[in-house]
Amino acid sequence: MNFKIAKLPGDGIGPEVVSQAVKAVDAVCRRFGHTAEYTFGYVGACAIDRYGDAYPEETHNICMDSDAVLFGAVGDPKYDNDPTAKVRPEQGLLAIRKKLGLYANLRPVETFRSLIDRSPLRTELVDGADFMCIRELTGGMYFGKKGREDGGNTAYDTCIYSRPEVERILKLAFEYAMRRRKHLTVVDKANVLESSRLWRQIAQEMEPQYPEVTVDYLFVDNAAMQLIRCPKVFDVIVTENTFGDILTDEASCITGSMGLLASASVGEHTSLFEPIHGSYPQAAGKNIANPLATILSAAMMFEYAFGLMEEGKAIREAVSASIDAGIVTEDLAAPSQKACSTSEVGDWVAEYIDKAK
Ligand code: IPM
Ligand code: MN
């Protein structure tokens, strides 16, 4: 097959980590007889510098015209402490999600046995944890009406969800649970929020269509605690946009490093694959960032966008092998171990894919 991939490295460490994922994709193509054609697009702060727009039309056209989007990260500290900034790099990511209709963000949390002692949690709590967070991505407070009143001294963001928005993400979550251990946890704040009560009502209405799925309902504050207290009980978690943002950062530390968490965003148009970590500006250009989350996002790209499970598995196996061999960046290296650079990890993984025929 020939894949048209929109390559959007973005800001900070984005370009470095995306380059390593490209090496892995190319190695998979060599091994399985595919070809990949990349088209570069600007997004985030680098797009603002060039076009005055964090997600320019040109980049959108590239994405619409591709089979998948491989995304790095957006963000630049020069915007973070300026609440008056009119344009922000993050708007690029929000715009791409909205314009491509990417309403579901899939964030798998898996542990690697050889890294288990890197987790801040006790081994017996995390060993074997394996769950999927499904975060709604184009609704809620991120996209609801926001503004200022009272001469700028009162501010609001509205959490708004319609029935179709809730139904489509819950349908995806129920179906996902059917393919896994058939246990779905719906996370909300239905004791306080009306939008959460709509989520819970619709989830309860849908339950009879999936009689094999056991459904639990957890308030988000409790869910935040249970994730740390007993991460192994979870199979599929589904939640709205803001709760999902927060819970997945929390969940990422279970595995030992945020640099391991991949994600797929799927919906109406081209699917997008990105690491869940941000642009990590302190590390930009230093060749020290962990590329594995982006490389694992490329594995998800083969599986979700192209339906090629063997190809995805080849990448996953190479990543596991690199971790087992101690070929890891400084965030994962044990005190006695020499940390590898970003590109060393990328080269090792690609070479492993090439050799493992
Ligand atoms: C994420 C990020 C984004 C979000 C930011 C960069 C807008 O934190 O993908 O989790 O809040 O969704
Ligand atoms: Mn986030």
Side-chain angles (χ1 to χ4, degrees), residues 86-123:
K86 287 271 176 295
V87 281
R88 301 179 168 278
E90 289 77 7
Q91 287 164 348
L93 187 51
L94 301 183
I96 193 170
R97 289 171 177 169
K98 196 70 174 179
K99 283 186 152 181
L100 295 178
L102 304 173
Y103 61 82
N105 183 219
L106 309 172
R107 299 186 163 183
V109 179
E110 293 151 345
T111 48
F112 293 88
R113 181 144 286 144
S114 54
L115 288 180
I116 223 82
D117 60 342
R118 234 57 103 249
S119 172
L121 302 182
R122 287 200 309 278
T123 299

Short mmCIF file of all heavy atoms in Angstrom, two decimals, residues 86-123:
data_model
loop_
_atom_site.label_atom_id
_atom_site.label_comp_id
_atom_site.label_asym_id
_atom_site.label_seq_id
_atom_site.Cartn_x
_atom_site.Cartn_y
_atom_site.Cartn_z
N LYS A 86 -3.61 37.07 21.84
CA LYS A 86 -4.80 36.88 21.01
C LYS A 86 -4.75 35.53 20.28
O LYS A 86 -5.77 34.88 20.06
CB LYS A 86 -4.91 38.02 19.98
CG LYS A 86 -5.33 39.34 20.60
CD LYS A 86 -6.86 39.49 20.63
CE LYS A 86 -7.32 40.76 21.32
NZ LYS A 86 -6.99 40.82 22.78
N VAL A 87 -3.55 35.16 19.84
CA VAL A 87 -3.41 33.85 19.20
C VAL A 87 -2.49 33.00 20.07
O VAL A 87 -1.53 33.50 20.65
CB VAL A 87 -2.80 33.96 17.78
CG1 VAL A 87 -3.83 34.38 16.77
CG2 VAL A 87 -1.61 34.89 17.76
N ARG A 88 -2.80 31.71 20.15
CA ARG A 88 -2.02 30.79 20.98
C ARG A 88 -1.77 29.51 20.20
O ARG A 88 -2.63 29.05 19.45
CB ARG A 88 -2.79 30.36 22.22
CG ARG A 88 -3.20 31.43 23.09
CD ARG A 88 -4.00 30.95 24.29
NE ARG A 88 -4.08 32.08 25.17
CZ ARG A 88 -3.11 32.42 26.00
NH1 ARG A 88 -2.05 31.67 26.14
NH2 ARG A 88 -3.20 33.50 26.73
N PRO A 89 -0.60 28.91 20.41
CA PRO A 89 -0.27 27.68 19.70
C PRO A 89 -1.31 26.58 19.90
O PRO A 89 -1.64 25.84 18.97
CB PRO A 89 1.07 27.25 20.31
CG PRO A 89 1.59 28.42 21.05
CD PRO A 89 0.48 29.37 21.29
N GLU A 90 -1.85 26.49 21.14
CA GLU A 90 -2.81 25.43 21.45
C GLU A 90 -4.07 25.52 20.59
O GLU A 90 -4.74 24.51 20.34
CB GLU A 90 -3.22 25.47 22.94
CG GLU A 90 -2.12 25.04 23.90
CD GLU A 90 -1.03 26.09 24.13
OE1 GLU A 90 -1.18 27.24 23.64
OE2 GLU A 90 -0.02 25.76 24.79
N GLN A 91 -4.38 26.76 20.12
CA GLN A 91 -5.54 26.90 19.24
C GLN A 91 -5.37 26.05 17.98
O GLN A 91 -6.35 25.62 17.38
CB GLN A 91 -5.73 28.37 18.82
CG GLN A 91 -6.25 29.26 19.93
CD GLN A 91 -6.04 30.74 19.62
OE1 GLN A 91 -5.31 31.11 18.69
NE2 GLN A 91 -6.69 31.58 20.42
N GLY A 92 -4.13 25.82 17.59
CA GLY A 92 -3.87 25.01 16.40
C GLY A 92 -4.35 23.58 16.60
O GLY A 92 -4.96 22.97 15.71
N LEU A 93 -4.09 23.05 17.78
CA LEU A 93 -4.50 21.68 18.07
C LEU A 93 -6.02 21.59 18.21
O LEU A 93 -6.64 20.65 17.71
CB LEU A 93 -3.80 21.22 19.36
CG LEU A 93 -3.96 19.77 19.77
CD1 LEU A 93 -3.62 18.82 18.63
CD2 LEU A 93 -3.06 19.47 20.97
N LEU A 94 -6.60 22.60 18.86
CA LEU A 94 -8.06 22.58 19.01
C LEU A 94 -8.73 22.72 17.65
O LEU A 94 -9.72 22.04 17.36
CB LEU A 94 -8.50 23.71 19.95
CG LEU A 94 -7.90 23.66 21.36
CD1 LEU A 94 -8.46 24.77 22.24
CD2 LEU A 94 -8.14 22.30 22.03
N ALA A 95 -8.17 23.57 16.79
CA ALA A 95 -8.76 23.78 15.46
C ALA A 95 -8.65 22.51 14.61
O ALA A 95 -9.60 22.14 13.92
CB ALA A 95 -8.08 24.95 14.76
N ILE A 96 -7.53 21.85 14.69
CA ILE A 96 -7.36 20.65 13.86
C ILE A 96 -8.34 19.57 14.33
O ILE A 96 -8.98 18.88 13.54
CB ILE A 96 -5.89 20.17 13.85
CG1 ILE A 96 -5.67 19.13 12.76
CG2 ILE A 96 -5.44 19.57 15.15
CD1 ILE A 96 -4.20 18.80 12.54
N ARG A 97 -8.51 19.44 15.65
CA ARG A 97 -9.45 18.45 16.18
C ARG A 97 -10.87 18.77 15.70
O ARG A 97 -11.60 17.88 15.26
CB ARG A 97 -9.41 18.45 17.72
CG ARG A 97 -8.12 17.86 18.28
CD ARG A 97 -8.01 18.08 19.78
NE ARG A 97 -6.81 17.45 20.34
CZ ARG A 97 -6.36 17.66 21.57
NH1 ARG A 97 -7.00 18.47 22.38
NH2 ARG A 97 -5.28 17.04 21.99
N LYS A 98 -11.24 20.04 15.81
CA LYS A 98 -12.60 20.43 15.44
C LYS A 98 -12.82 20.28 13.94
O LYS A 98 -13.80 19.70 13.50
CB LYS A 98 -12.84 21.89 15.88
CG LYS A 98 -14.28 22.29 15.91
CD LYS A 98 -15.03 21.59 17.04
CE LYS A 98 -16.46 22.07 17.21
NZ LYS A 98 -17.15 21.36 18.31
N LYS A 99 -11.87 20.79 13.14
CA LYS A 99 -12.09 20.80 11.69
C LYS A 99 -12.03 19.41 11.08
O LYS A 99 -12.65 19.15 10.06
CB LYS A 99 -11.06 21.71 11.01
CG LYS A 99 -11.38 23.18 11.17
CD LYS A 99 -10.42 23.98 10.34
CE LYS A 99 -10.96 25.29 9.85
NZ LYS A 99 -9.97 25.99 9.02
N LEU A 100 -11.26 18.51 11.70
CA LEU A 100 -11.23 17.14 11.19
C LEU A 100 -12.32 16.29 11.86
O LEU A 100 -12.44 15.10 11.59
CB LEU A 100 -9.85 16.49 11.39
CG LEU A 100 -8.69 17.12 10.61
CD1 LEU A 100 -7.37 16.42 10.95
CD2 LEU A 100 -8.92 17.05 9.10
N GLY A 101 -13.08 16.89 12.77
CA GLY A 101 -14.17 16.16 13.43
C GLY A 101 -13.65 15.02 14.31
O GLY A 101 -14.29 13.97 14.42
N LEU A 102 -12.51 15.21 14.94
CA LEU A 102 -11.89 14.14 15.73
C LEU A 102 -12.50 14.11 17.13
O LEU A 102 -11.94 14.64 18.07
CB LEU A 102 -10.37 14.36 15.81
CG LEU A 102 -9.69 14.48 14.45
CD1 LEU A 102 -8.22 14.86 14.61
CD2 LEU A 102 -9.80 13.15 13.69
N TYR A 103 -13.65 13.48 17.25
CA TYR A 103 -14.38 13.55 18.51
C TYR A 103 -13.93 12.53 19.55
O TYR A 103 -14.33 12.61 20.71
CB TYR A 103 -15.88 13.45 18.27
CG TYR A 103 -16.35 12.17 17.63
CD1 TYR A 103 -16.56 11.02 18.39
CD2 TYR A 103 -16.58 12.10 16.26
CE1 TYR A 103 -16.99 9.85 17.81
CE2 TYR A 103 -17.01 10.94 15.67
CZ TYR A 103 -17.21 9.81 16.44
OH TYR A 103 -17.62 8.65 15.86
N ALA A 104 -13.14 11.56 19.15
CA ALA A 104 -12.71 10.54 20.12
C ALA A 104 -11.20 10.47 20.20
O ALA A 104 -10.51 10.33 19.19
CB ALA A 104 -13.27 9.18 19.74
N ASN A 105 -10.70 10.57 21.40
CA ASN A 105 -9.26 10.48 21.63
C ASN A 105 -8.99 9.22 22.45
O ASN A 105 -9.48 9.08 23.57
CB ASN A 105 -8.81 11.74 22.38
CG ASN A 105 -7.32 11.83 22.61
OD1 ASN A 105 -6.88 12.26 23.66
ND2 ASN A 105 -6.54 11.44 21.64
N LEU A 106 -8.25 8.30 21.86
CA LEU A 106 -7.98 7.01 22.50
C LEU A 106 -6.58 7.04 23.08
O LEU A 106 -5.60 7.24 22.36
CB LEU A 106 -8.09 5.88 21.47
CG LEU A 106 -9.38 5.89 20.64
CD1 LEU A 106 -9.31 4.87 19.52
CD2 LEU A 106 -10.58 5.59 21.53
N ARG A 107 -6.49 6.87 24.40
CA ARG A 107 -5.19 6.92 25.07
C ARG A 107 -4.97 5.63 25.87
O ARG A 107 -5.50 5.48 26.97
CB ARG A 107 -5.13 8.15 26.00
CG ARG A 107 -5.28 9.45 25.21
CD ARG A 107 -5.10 10.70 26.07
NE ARG A 107 -4.85 11.84 25.19
CZ ARG A 107 -4.59 13.07 25.59
NH1 ARG A 107 -4.54 13.34 26.88
NH2 ARG A 107 -4.36 14.03 24.74
N PRO A 108 -4.25 4.69 25.30
CA PRO A 108 -4.03 3.43 26.00
C PRO A 108 -2.97 3.56 27.10
O PRO A 108 -1.96 4.22 26.90
CB PRO A 108 -3.53 2.48 24.90
CG PRO A 108 -3.04 3.36 23.80
CD PRO A 108 -3.61 4.73 23.98
N VAL A 109 -3.23 2.96 28.23
CA VAL A 109 -2.25 2.94 29.32
C VAL A 109 -1.83 1.49 29.55
O VAL A 109 -2.65 0.66 29.95
CB VAL A 109 -2.85 3.53 30.62
CG1 VAL A 109 -1.83 3.47 31.76
CG2 VAL A 109 -3.31 4.96 30.39
N GLU A 110 -0.59 1.20 29.21
CA GLU A 110 -0.07 -0.15 29.40
C GLU A 110 1.24 -0.05 30.15
O GLU A 110 1.95 0.93 30.02
CB GLU A 110 0.23 -0.82 28.04
CG GLU A 110 -0.98 -1.10 27.21
CD GLU A 110 -0.67 -1.06 25.72
OE1 GLU A 110 0.39 -0.54 25.32
OE2 GLU A 110 -1.50 -1.55 24.95
N THR A 111 1.56 -1.07 30.90
CA THR A 111 2.82 -1.04 31.63
C THR A 111 3.82 -1.95 30.93
O THR A 111 3.45 -2.93 30.29
CB THR A 111 2.62 -1.51 33.08
OG1 THR A 111 1.87 -2.72 33.05
CG2 THR A 111 1.87 -0.49 33.89
N PHE A 112 5.08 -1.59 31.02
CA PHE A 112 6.16 -2.44 30.51
C PHE A 112 6.85 -3.05 31.72
O PHE A 112 7.29 -2.31 32.62
CB PHE A 112 7.16 -1.60 29.72
CG PHE A 112 6.59 -1.05 28.44
CD1 PHE A 112 5.93 0.17 28.43
CD2 PHE A 112 6.71 -1.75 27.25
CE1 PHE A 112 5.39 0.67 27.26
CE2 PHE A 112 6.18 -1.25 26.07
CZ PHE A 112 5.52 -0.03 26.08
N ARG A 113 6.91 -4.37 31.73
CA ARG A 113 7.42 -5.03 32.95
C ARG A 113 8.81 -4.53 33.36
O ARG A 113 9.06 -4.27 34.53
CB ARG A 113 7.41 -6.55 32.75
CG ARG A 113 7.89 -7.24 33.98
CD ARG A 113 7.22 -8.55 34.31
NE ARG A 113 5.88 -8.47 34.82
CZ ARG A 113 4.95 -9.37 34.52
NH1 ARG A 113 5.21 -10.34 33.70
NH2 ARG A 113 3.76 -9.27 35.05
N SER A 114 9.70 -4.35 32.38
CA SER A 114 11.06 -3.96 32.76
C SER A 114 11.15 -2.52 33.25
O SER A 114 12.19 -2.07 33.71
CB SER A 114 12.03 -4.20 31.60
OG SER A 114 11.56 -3.56 30.45
N LEU A 115 10.03 -1.78 33.17
CA LEU A 115 10.05 -0.39 33.66
C LEU A 115 9.25 -0.22 34.93
O LEU A 115 9.08 0.89 35.42
CB LEU A 115 9.43 0.53 32.60
CG LEU A 115 10.24 0.79 31.37
CD1 LEU A 115 9.47 1.71 30.45
CD2 LEU A 115 11.57 1.41 31.74
N ILE A 116 8.75 -1.33 35.43
CA ILE A 116 7.77 -1.25 36.51
C ILE A 116 8.31 -0.50 37.73
O ILE A 116 7.58 0.23 38.39
CB ILE A 116 7.26 -2.68 36.86
CG1 ILE A 116 5.76 -2.66 37.05
CG2 ILE A 116 7.94 -3.31 38.03
CD1 ILE A 116 4.95 -2.72 35.85
N ASP A 117 9.62 -0.60 37.99
CA ASP A 117 10.16 0.10 39.16
C ASP A 117 10.33 1.60 38.90
O ASP A 117 10.72 2.35 39.79
CB ASP A 117 11.48 -0.54 39.62
CG ASP A 117 12.53 -0.50 38.54
OD1 ASP A 117 12.17 -0.31 37.36
OD2 ASP A 117 13.73 -0.66 38.87
N ARG A 118 10.06 2.05 37.67
CA ARG A 118 10.13 3.47 37.39
C ARG A 118 8.80 4.16 37.73
O ARG A 118 8.70 5.37 37.76
CB ARG A 118 10.43 3.67 35.89
CG ARG A 118 11.62 4.53 35.61
CD ARG A 118 12.94 4.07 36.24
NE ARG A 118 13.77 3.45 35.24
CZ ARG A 118 14.06 2.16 35.22
NH1 ARG A 118 13.61 1.36 36.15
NH2 ARG A 118 14.82 1.66 34.29
N SER A 119 7.77 3.38 37.97
CA SER A 119 6.49 3.96 38.32
C SER A 119 6.55 4.52 39.74
O SER A 119 7.16 3.91 40.62
CB SER A 119 5.39 2.90 38.25
OG SER A 119 4.19 3.42 38.77
N PRO A 120 5.93 5.67 39.99
CA PRO A 120 5.91 6.18 41.36
C PRO A 120 5.02 5.34 42.27
O PRO A 120 5.05 5.50 43.49
CB PRO A 120 5.35 7.60 41.21
CG PRO A 120 4.62 7.60 39.91
CD PRO A 120 5.28 6.58 39.03
N LEU A 121 4.25 4.42 41.68
CA LEU A 121 3.38 3.56 42.48
C LEU A 121 4.06 2.22 42.74
O LEU A 121 4.94 1.81 41.99
CB LEU A 121 2.05 3.30 41.74
CG LEU A 121 1.24 4.56 41.39
CD1 LEU A 121 -0.05 4.15 40.71
CD2 LEU A 121 0.95 5.37 42.63
N ARG A 122 3.61 1.53 43.77
CA ARG A 122 4.20 0.23 44.12
C ARG A 122 3.96 -0.79 43.02
O ARG A 122 2.89 -0.84 42.41
CB ARG A 122 3.58 -0.30 45.42
CG ARG A 122 4.05 0.43 46.67
CD ARG A 122 3.82 -0.44 47.90
NE ARG A 122 2.46 -0.95 47.99
CZ ARG A 122 1.42 -0.25 48.48
NH1 ARG A 122 1.59 0.97 48.91
NH2 ARG A 122 0.23 -0.80 48.53
N THR A 123 4.94 -1.64 42.80
CA THR A 123 4.89 -2.62 41.72
C THR A 123 3.62 -3.45 41.72
O THR A 123 2.99 -3.62 40.68
CB THR A 123 6.12 -3.56 41.83
OG1 THR A 123 7.27 -2.75 41.69
CG2 THR A 123 6.11 -4.63 40.76
#
